[in-house]
Amino acid sequence: MHLKAYQRSPRPERRRNKPSTRIIESAGSIAALFGTLLGALGRVLRFLLPRHPAQWIVLGFALAIILGTGTLMLPVAKAGPGGATLLEALFTATSAVCVTGLITVDTPVFWSGFGKAAILVLIQIGGFGVMSFGSLLGVLTARRLGLRSRMLAAAETKSTGFGDVRRVLLGVFRITVIVEAALALILMLRFMVGYGYQPMEALWYGIFHSVSSFNNAGFALYTDNLMGFVSDPWICLPIAAAVIIGGLGFPVLFELGRQYRRPIHWSMNTKLVLYGSLVLLVGGTVFISAAEWNNPATLGGLPPQDRILGGFFQSVITRTAGFNSLDIAQMHPVSWMGMDILMFIGGGPAGTAGGLKITTFAVLFFILSTELRGGTAVNIFGKRLSRAVHRQAITVVLLAIALVVTSTMYLMIITDFGQEKIIFEVISAFATVGLSTGITAGLPPAGQVVLILLMFIGRLGPVTLGTALAVHSRPIMYEYPKERPLIG
């Protein structure tokens, strides 16, 4: 029996892919993996990035401060050898972006020409608004704005709608250029004619103080700020005018430009800001002049007309900017207390001024007046005030008071300075005013960090910052039954 040998049929050879095919398949796999990673990264970024305009505004100011800090830490920004420390650069950048004016180093001595120019740019960006400045660049280059840019600019400029954001931004830009250019020219001529400055030096000094004035920043290129010009109306009055204009707020300026001859058609906001500013300017001038009239370290050694000029200038500056033509450290404690009130109130909303704004305190005044008269609705200039505004004004004031009191108590624990000076410094930082009794540079690092946080919160506003920090906002679809506790 023969066994037939079993022969396996040869296995067919496996087809090998051509090199080009393998490359294409590998590229496709890599592309798919890359796409998956990008999708995952996009989902993570959508989760982490801000969703509310207020969060974007906070992020924008924070990034501007970080970039400003890095710029001021460069060796080229410091006049002497080496570079500024992190705390010195951070404090100055925060003060510039938040248009405050508080300093821990002598601006004209410590910083180089590059450093001063960087401070000037930070002041301009901070005064205009970081998001508004970015949106303005988009308008000037692309001539249009996306939906997100319009939302952010509308939130920062208090525009009434998305459609008029571009017009508002261009209007703000025109007002800024006109006021700053006019003031720079006036100051330049005064520095040349009255003080013998060379043309380019006078131009630089005029531009710097013009930008600092209109943006209510208070930075000056003199070690004693503007004390050397206390008797010079050609310096003090134009700077005071620019501070007042910037402190009124852009909505008021727009309305005055359209209807300056028809006060009857002015909005409630415009009337409150204008009438409130007039009362505070006159009242502040009378108060400071009377309190310091016989003080030989401030107004006492000046002629009567110069005393009035000094009192008026300091009244204007106290509510918004940080210049000083008087030695703040030598003023009477009662003057500090009155200036605390003026700084805390501040200027008009949606402008370059700080404080809790005139409208906030005017609303509280009318609420108090209505309650004392037994009224049921708060009526202002023939119009009824929305109840939502009641809650908002009370919230802003209570949050601000809590922040100021807490910060003051903490600084009293870690320093040996008196309560009057500490509370003055705290309110000046929170209201982004920039006036100082001279203790800022002497605070320990922890105290300076507290002032940095106060400047940041004060520039953005407690409610804006609180809204930005609130990650989730869920509307309540129900109400509890009412009950009234005993008050008083």
Side-chain angles (χ1 to χ4, degrees), residues 207-485:
I207 292 175
F208 188 96
H209 292 96
S210 172
V211 173
S212 184
S213 300
F214 179 72
N215 291 284
N216 285 222
F219 279 88
L221 295 179
Y222 301 95
T223 300
D224 60 354
N225 208 272
L226 299 181
M227 291 174 57
F229 305 103
V230 63
S231 301
D232 191 342
W234 292 99
I235 297 292
C236 292
L237 292 181
I239 288 179
V243 169
I244 292 173
I245 293 173
L248 291 177
F250 294 111
V252 174
L253 296 178
F254 292 152
E255 188 162 359
L256 291 178
R258 294 192 307 266
Q259 302 183 12
Y260 67 95
R261 292 184 178 179
R262 297 184 293 178
I264 193 173
H265 296 293
W266 290 351
S267 65
M268 182 188 297
N269 178 78
T270 297
K271 292 179 180 179
L272 288 177
V273 172
L274 291 179
Y275 297 152
S277 297
L278 180 61
V279 171
L280 292 175
L281 285 175
V282 174
T285 301
V286 173
F287 172 79
I288 294 176
S289 299
E292 298 295 323
W293 191 266
N294 295 319
N295 186 349
T298 54
L299 295 178
L302 301 175
Q305 66 273 14
D306 293 342
R307 298 186 196 186
I308 297 175
L309 175 63
F312 170 75
F313 183 80
Q314 210 56 61
S315 172
V316 172
I317 298 304
T318 299
R319 289 182 36 250
T320 49
F323 295 113
N324 63 284
S325 62
L326 304 177
D327 190 350
I328 304 298
Q330 300 298 323
M331 298 181 77
H332 196 280
V334 73
S335 300
W336 291 342
M337 183 174 295
M339 293 168 71
D340 287 340
I341 299 173
L342 293 175
M343 290 191 296
F344 199 59
I345 295 176
T352 59
L356 294 185
K357 308 299 183 291
I358 296 173
T359 49
T360 303
F361 279 85
V363 165
L364 291 181
F365 171 79
F366 282 104
I367 291 176
L368 177 64
S369 175
T370 301
E371 194 66 27
L372 292 177
R373 290 185 288 103
T376 56
V378 179
N379 300 316
I380 305 176
F381 302 125
K383 295 183 180 179
R384 182 168 55 87
L385 190 67
S386 170
R387 292 191 179 273
V389 178
H390 301 193
R391 298 192 299 269
Q392 187 177 8
I394 295 172
T395 301
V396 169
V397 172
L398 291 180
L399 286 176
I401 292 175
L403 191 62
V404 168
V405 170
T406 304
S407 302
T408 301
M409 293 173 65
Y410 177 73
L411 292 181
M412 290 176 65
I413 293 174
I414 66 174
T415 67
D416 296 327
F417 296 113
Q419 178 181 347
E420 297 92 348
K421 292 186 176 182
I422 289 178
I423 196 171
F424 187 94
E425 222 77 5
V426 167
I427 294 178
S428 178
F430 173 74
T432 67
V433 176
L435 293 176
S436 174
T437 57
I439 69 172
T440 297
L443 292 175
Q448 294 181 5
V449 170
V450 169
L451 295 187
I452 290 174
L453 295 175
L454 286 172
M455 289 188 288
F456 186 74
I457 296 173
R459 181 67 179 95
L460 296 171
V463 173
T464 300
L465 188 62
T467 304
L469 296 177
V471 179
H472 301 288
S473 58
R474 298 179 180 177
I476 299 177
M477 307 303 295
Y478 58 90
E479 290 185 355
Y480 291 105
K482 292 182 179 180
E483 186 173 350
R484 298 186 61 177

